[in-house]
Amino acid sequence: MGLPRPGALRSLTAILLLLPSTLGEVTIYHAPGQAGPTNSAAASDYTSLQAFNPTTLTPPAVPTPAILTNIPVKLQKAGTPNLGVKQDGAFLGFSIEMSVSNQVFGKNSTFLQVPFLNLMASLAARAGSVRIRVGGNSQERAKLVDTIPDGRVLQKDLDGIAPGSTATPPIDYTADLVYMLGNISALVDVNWIIGLPWFVTKPFDLRIVPLAETVLGDHLLALQAANEPDMYVLHQHRVEPFTPYDYGGEVSDFLAQLAASGMDPSGSASKKLVAPNLGSFEQKPEFLPDNFWKTGFADTFNENLRYLSVEKYPVSNCGAVFHNGEKILIPQEVLPEFLNHTTHVQNLVAPFINSAMYAQSKNKPFLMMETSQASCGGLAGVSDTFGAALWTLDYALQMAHANFSGAFFHTGGVHVFYNPFTAPPTAESGFRGWSVGPMYYAALAMAEAIGKSGATQVLDLTGSIAGVSALTPVYGIYENGAPVRVAAFNYADDPTGATDATFAISVSEGGTPASVRIKRLSAQSVSQKGRYTWANQTLGGFFESDGRLMDGEVVETIQCDSARSVCEVKVPAPGFALVYLAGDVFGAGNGDGADPTVTFATTLRTKTHNTATVDAEVLATSNGHNGAIDGIGSTSRGKQSGARTLRETSIMLVATLVGVGLGAGMWLR
Ligand SMILES: *[C@@H]1O[C@H](CO)[C@@H](O)[C@H](O)[C@H]1NC(C)=O
Ligand SMILES: *[C@@H]1O[C@H](CO)[C@@H](O)[C@H](O)[C@H]1NC(C)=O
Ligand SMILES: *[C@@H]1O[C@H](CO)[C@@H](O)[C@H](O)[C@H]1NC(C)=O
C-alpha cells in the first residue's frame, strides 16, 4: 500500500529533493500514485497517528512581573559541599516498549534500522555508551517461541489483550530479537536492561535469562524483575493481599527456580536484577518507596540486586486515551507545569530523595526505569515540542543532582506523543525518514553535560541564587570536585528578547576562566515541533532524519571580563546553554567542527521485492555536506545498492525500515 512503483523512481527522487520542508509548517510528501496532497496538509490529516501530530499550543504568557534576568552563578574552585554520586555519560537512556522493538531496532538480527544505529552512535560518541531498557507492560507476558513467519522476531497476540487500563497486547518473540540487540551492541556500544515476564510465577518462564546472558554478555546490564508490581492488583494480575512481602516472595521464587533450572550455571544472571520498579504507589501506601525499603528488600536480595529502581510519570493521560473515568487533561492548561523548574524539584524528584540516599547507603545505583511527561502516551503539544527538550534535560540533571544514576525515557511507537525517535509507519517507510523528538536532543545535551570522565557530579544551584525564577534553573557540573561546566536554562517564551537571561558565571579563588565555550539547545519557541538544534545541528522535522546530525556544528567562544572576573552568557527565552569552563568540548577542535561520530550510511529498504531502493544520503544531508543525489539503485528483487562499509570493515548491513501494521492498538506503559 502506498509504496512507490519502480517506474516512478524519477519522481520519487524529485520528491525526496523537496526535503526538508520549511520551518513551522507541516508538509506531507506522498509517493507518486498515492492519493493525497503533496504540500501542506491540514492538522486533521495527521491526528490518527499521535507520533506525527502537528498540533501546536500557545506558549505560556511572558512572565509578569518580569523575572530576574541577570543571574549570578558563583562557583567554588574546590571543596563544593553536597556533591552527589558520580555520573555516567549514559545517564539519559531510553526505555523501549518491548512490543515496538521491531519498529525501532530492526526487523531481525540481519535487518537493523540504520537511522537507529546512527542516533545511538551520536550519543555513544558523546557519552561513551548508551543504555536502553527493553520492557514495559509488554514484557510481562512476552513469550519466547521458536519461529514466527517471515523471519520476524515479534508478533502481537491481539486476542489476548489484558484487562486493565493499558491495552498492551501480549507478545511472542524469537531468540533472534535478542541476537538483534547483540548485533546492535557489536556496532555501537549500547548496553541493555531486559524485562523478565513476571505475570506467571508458577513457574516463571526463564528462557530469556540464558539467552540474554549468552548473547549480550557484558552488554547485559540487568534483568528487570516485574514492571510496576504495585499496580498488579489494580490491573487484575494479582489478588489481594499483595504486599511488598508478597512481591519479595516472588523474587525469592524466581531465584530458586533459576538456580534449580541449571540455566544460570555461573550464577551471574542471578546477580543482575533491577527491582522493584515501583510505579504508582498512591493507590497502595505500603508500596511507597520509603515504606517499601523498610521491608528489608534491599538487604534480603543484596547479592542479587544490581540496581534499585522506580518509575514515575508526573501526570496521567490515561483518561483521554481509555476514557476510564480519570480526569482528562487539557494540554494547553497543563503546559506551564512542564516549563517550570519547581515542578521537577517538588513533584517529580522530591519523593525519591530518601530512596536515593538509601540506595547509596546500600551501594546500589538508583534508576528511574521508565518516565516521560505523561503516562498513556504523553500529551499533544507538550511532549513533542521544544519545551519537552528543556523539561527532559532539566529533569535529567535534577535526577543526577538528587543521586539517581540513570533514567530511561519511554518510547512507544506511532500511537504516542512522547517518543525520542519514531520510525515512519511501515507502509510509508520506503520514502520517509525518521522523526526525531525533543527527548533525543535532551539526550545529546545530557551526554555532553556529563561526558565520559566517570567522575562527573551535578549540583542544582537554582535554589541558592537569591531572587532567581523557576523559569531559569542553573546547574554546576563538576569533575573531580572542580567546576567544569554550567548548564543554564530559560523556559520563558518571549520573542521580544526582554526575557533573555544573562548568567554571570564566576569561580572563586581566581578560578574564573579567560573565556568559555558554549553549545546551545535552540528553537524559536517552546511550542516548536521538530528542527530543534544542538550546537546548530539538527535532525530535522517529521520524517526527515536518517539518524545523522545535519548542518555544521557551532561552538561559540565568549571572552570573560577579567577585571570583574565574570563570564556573562546570555540564554534566550527560550533556550539552554551548556557552558564549558574547562576541558575538552566534544566535536570542537576537529578543524571544521565536524561531528566525529561514526555513522552508518547504507541501503534503506522496505519489503523485499518490488520496491525502491534508496541510498540513505538521498533522505538527508549529514555534517553540513549535501548528500549526493545519486543513490537510486536496483529495484530488482534480491539486490541492494549503495551499501557502505561500516567502520571500514567489510560487514555489510542491510537496513530495512519495517514496522508492524498500523492501528493494531496502543503500545503504552
Ligand atoms: C546526594 O548525595 C550526597 C551524598 O553522597 C548528599 O550530600 C547530597 O545531599 C545528596 N543530594 C540530594 C539532593 O539529596
Ligand atoms: C530477516 O528477515 C529477512 C527478510 O524477511 C530474511 O531474509 C532473513 O533470513 C531474516 N533473518 C533472520 C536471521 O531470520
Ligand atoms: C547478527 O546476528 C546473526 C545471528 O542471527 C549473526 O549470524 C550475524 O553475523 C550478526 N551480524 C552482525 C553484523 O553482527
Side-chain angles (χ1 to χ4, degrees):
M1 179 187 82
L3 287 165
R5 296 181 309 272
L9 274 178
R10 193 149 287 282
S11 20
L12 176 67
T13 311
I15 284 169
L16 292 165
L17 279 165
L18 293 173
L19 295 171
S21 64
T22 50
L23 184 72
E25 169 196 40
V26 176
T27 305
I28 304 179
Y29 300 98
H30 287 264
Q34 191 188 11
T38 54
N39 47 23
S40 296
S44 57
D45 292 3
Y46 262 140
T47 47
S48 59
L49 288 178
Q50 289 81 345
F52 316 115
N53 182 309
T55 307
T56 55
L57 302 177
T58 307
V62 173
T64 46
I67 58 171
L68 183 72
T69 52
N70 238 306
I71 301 165
V73 181
K74 298 197 166 94
L75 303 166
Q76 268 173 252
K77 192 176 176 186
T80 303
N82 294 325
L83 294 179
V85 296
K86 297 201 167 148
Q87 300 295 356
D88 190 302
F91 187 100
L92 200 170
F94 306 105
S95 160
I96 314 274
E97 189 66 46
M98 194 164 183
S99 55
V100 299
S101 51
N102 61 342
Q103 294 173 31
V104 175
F105 303 135
K107 181 176 185 185
N108 60 33
S109 65
T110 50
F111 278 66
L112 303 180
Q113 286 272 26
V114 165
F116 171 76
L117 292 174
N118 285 334
L119 291 168
M120 296 305 108
S122 293
L123 288 176
R126 290 165 171 80
S129 65
V130 184
R131 294 181 192 150
I132 297 181
R133 172 269 195 140
V134 183
N137 288 328
S138 54
Q139 78 186 47
E140 298 278 26
R141 288 194 288 169
K143 192 155 163 276
L144 183 57
V145 296
D146 291 339
T147 54
I148 293 174
D150 302 331
R152 284 181 297 154
V153 295
L154 188 73
Q155 94 186 345
K156 290 169 186 121
D157 176 5
L158 294 172
D159 297 334
I161 290 180
S165 81
T166 54
T168 308
I171 55 177
D172 291 340
Y173 68 98
T174 67
D176 201 48
L177 188 151
V178 181
Y179 282 100
M180 177 164 72
L181 306 185
N183 279 359
I184 290 167
S185 296
L187 297 168
V188 186
D189 193 357
V190 177
N191 298 308
W192 308 92
I193 293 181
I194 306 288
L196 296 168
W198 205 270
F199 281 170
V200 176
T201 61
K202 290 181 173 44
F204 279 98
D205 181 348
L206 299 169
R207 286 174 303 161
I208 184 78
V209 177
L211 180 65
E213 270 280 284
T214 49
V215 174
L216 303 178
D218 289 343
H219 291 292
L220 177 67
L221 295 176
L223 296 161
Q224 185 193 346
N227 189 55
E228 302 176 334
D230 51 318
M231 293 177 85
Y232 277 8
V233 171
L234 182 72
H235 292 162
Q236 299 161 43
H237 304 304
R238 295 289 185 276
V239 292
E240 293 285 19
F242 186 73
T243 68
Y245 292 101
D246 296 298
Y247 169 63
E250 294 183 355
V251 174
S252 268
D253 291 348
F254 171 83
L255 292 165
Q257 290 178 30
L258 183 62
S261 72
M263 288 182 184
D264 183 26
S266 69
S268 67
S270 74
K271 299 190 176 86
K272 284 191 178 172
L273 296 187
V274 53
N277 312 301
L278 303 175
S280 177
F281 6 85
E282 290 85 3
Q283 326 261 352
K284 284 166 77 77
E286 67 271 35
F287 280 101
L288 276 168
D290 294 353
N291 294 335
F292 184 90
W293 307 128
K294 285 182 195 145
T295 65
F297 182 84
D299 295 320
T300 308
F301 301 109
N302 181 43
E303 289 293 298
N304 311 104
L305 289 166
R306 187 159 186 187
Y307 304 96
L308 300 179
S309 55
V310 290
E311 305 185 4
K312 171 85 175 173
Y313 289 78
V315 295
S316 161
N317 193 37
C318 300
V321 174
F322 294 106
H323 299 285
N324 61 356
E326 272 185 41
K327 181 168 192 269
I328 294 178
L329 298 177
I330 312 294
Q332 183 70 62
E333 288 173 8
V334 296
L335 178 64
E337 292 170 32
F338 290 89
L339 299 168
N340 183 319
H341 181 62
T342 309
T343 46
H344 287 93
V345 177
Q346 287 175 4
N347 306 356
L348 270 166
V349 176
F352 303 114
I353 297 269
N354 292 343
S355 296
M357 292 304 283
Y358 175 79
Q360 277 189 77
S361 77
K362 300 292 171 192
N363 271 319
K364 305 288 182 201
F366 188 53
L367 300 180
M368 176 59 75
M369 283 293 283
E370 187 183 315
T371 192
S372 199
Q373 297 81 30
S375 58
C376 289
L379 295 162
V382 176
S383 300
D384 46 2
T385 54
F386 181 63
L390 299 177
W391 178 89
T392 302
L393 187 52
D394 187 11
Y395 181 20
L397 287 165
Q398 186 63 28
M399 283 188 274
H401 157 80
N403 295 312
F404 277 87
S405 290
F408 298 83
F409 284 79
H410 202 52
T411 305
V414 295
H415 297 285
V416 302
F417 299 107
Y418 53 36
N419 294 327
F421 32 76
T422 314
T426 317
E428 306 182 348
S429 61
F431 57 96
R432 283 192 173 168
W434 280 40
S435 307
V436 180
M439 274 58 82
Y440 181 80
Y441 289 80
L444 283 174
M446 186 67 179
E448 289 192 44
I450 305 294
K452 296 186 204 173
S453 76
T456 305
Q457 292 161 293
V458 176
L459 190 65
D460 182 3
L461 306 169
T462 317
S464 64
I465 301 170
V468 78
S469 160
L471 300 182
T472 54
V474 57
Y475 293 83
I477 296 165
Y478 302 78
E479 273 172 15
N480 303 305
V484 288
R485 291 180 284 283
V486 168
F489 293 77
N490 193 344
Y491 279 116
D493 193 304
D494 182 358
T496 69
T499 319
D500 290 358
T502 300
F503 292 84
I505 302 166
S506 58
V507 184
S508 69
E509 297 166 61
T512 305
S515 64
V516 294
R517 283 172 295 174
I518 298 166
K519 286 199 180 184
R520 295 181 185 279
L521 186 58
S522 307
Q524 299 294 315
S525 149
V526 292
S527 289
Q528 184 175 318
K529 289 204 171 185
R531 302 270 179 122
Y532 327 113
T533 57
W534 170 243
N536 195 54
Q537 294 190 293
T538 186
L539 292 134
F542 288 131
F543 310 118
E544 288 180 354
S545 181
D546 72 351
R548 293 178 294 178
L549 287 158
M550 299 183 267
D551 302 334
E553 185 181 58
V554 172
V555 183
E556 288 166 44
T557 300
I558 289 185
Q559 298 305 318
C560 301
D561 182 333
S562 58
R564 289 163 52 230
S565 191
V566 65
C567 311
E568 292 183 326
V569 178
K570 191 179 254 200
V571 180
F576 167 82
L578 182 63
V579 184
Y580 286 81
L581 310 175
D584 292 340
V585 177
F586 177 86
N590 295 309
D592 59 359
D595 181 344
T597 306
V598 174
T599 57
F600 305 93
T602 183
T603 305
L604 290 171
R605 199 176 65 160
T606 298
K607 306 264 163 121
T608 44
H609 49 92
N610 201 21
T611 183
T613 302
V614 183
D615 188 277
E617 277 188 329
V618 181
L619 293 176
T621 58
S622 174
N623 295 336
H625 307 295
N626 285 314
I629 310 295
D630 60 2
I632 302 301
S634 166
T635 56
S636 20
R637 185 173 182 171
K639 283 191 193 166
Q640 305 101 40
S641 73
R644 304 291 179 83
T645 54
L646 304 175
R647 290 185 178 153
E648 292 160 22
T649 70
S650 59
I651 309 166
M652 195 181 84
L653 193 69
V654 181
T656 185
L657 294 170
V658 296
V660 292
L662 299 180
M666 312 287 299
W667 328 127
L668 303 170
R669 82 186 266 267

